[in-house]
């Protein structure tokens, strides 16, 4: 059974930082592109960052220079370092994997961790 467990979310003030983690079990990251996404209730989900299985890294424009995605494949863990947080970053953040160079569809995803940025 494949499972993802995200952690590291919480309440932070504008300008603050958080580090999210996603631990996977039941699969190996070597076989997938790994992504962080976020969603606010009632809105479309947004792709934030991805490490593709050919080694490339992609970021959404609205997080470039503020967020950094990384992974430790030996530990089946991915991370999202978030700096200079803004109220509009408030969302449920979750990890997902696909086999198509970050294009999707996502084969597996987690339940997410809530990030709330206060103004």
């Amino acid at each position: 059974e494949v499972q993802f467990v995200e952690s590291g979310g919480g309440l932070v003030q504008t300008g603050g930082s958080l580090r999210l983690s996603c631990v996977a079990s039941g699969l190996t990251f070597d076989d997938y592109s790994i992504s962080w996404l976020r969603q606010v209730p009632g809105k479309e989900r947004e792709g934030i960052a991805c490490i593709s299985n050919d080694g490339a890294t992609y970021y959404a424009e609205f997080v470039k220079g503020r967020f950094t995605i990384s992974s430790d494949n030996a530990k089946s863990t991915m991370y999202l370092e978030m700096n200079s947080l803004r109220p509009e970053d408030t969302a449920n953040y979750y990890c997902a994997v696909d086999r198509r160079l970050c294009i999707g569809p996502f084969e597996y995803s987690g339940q997410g961790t809530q990030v709330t940025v206060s103004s």
Side-chain angles (χ1 to χ4, degrees), residues 30-108:
D30 292 340
D31 297 332
Y32 294 93
S33 297
I34 57 175
S35 292
W36 283 98
L37 303 96
R38 69 187 186 188
Q39 188 156 25
V40 176
K43 293 189 176 182
E44 293 281 327
R45 75 181 179 193
E46 296 178 310
I48 299 166
C50 181
I51 302 174
S52 71
N53 51 7
D54 68 354
T57 303
Y58 303 97
Y59 291 95
E61 281 298 321
F62 52 82
V63 302
K64 278 185 180 178
R66 299 191 299 126
F67 292 10
T68 303
I69 187 173
S70 62
S71 70
D72 183 338
N73 287 12
K75 296 181 179 180
S76 294
T77 303
M78 67 171 87
Y79 305 96
L80 185 68
E81 187 76 34
M82 306 189 296
N83 298 309
S84 302
L85 283 161
R86 306 165 180 168
E88 54 264 39
D89 294 319
T90 295
N92 186 55
Y93 286 71
Y94 62 98
C95 51
V97 297
D98 73 273
R99 294 183 187 264
R100 295 186 61 201
L101 302 178
C102 303
I103 296 172
F106 296 108
E107 195 165 318
Y108 302 102

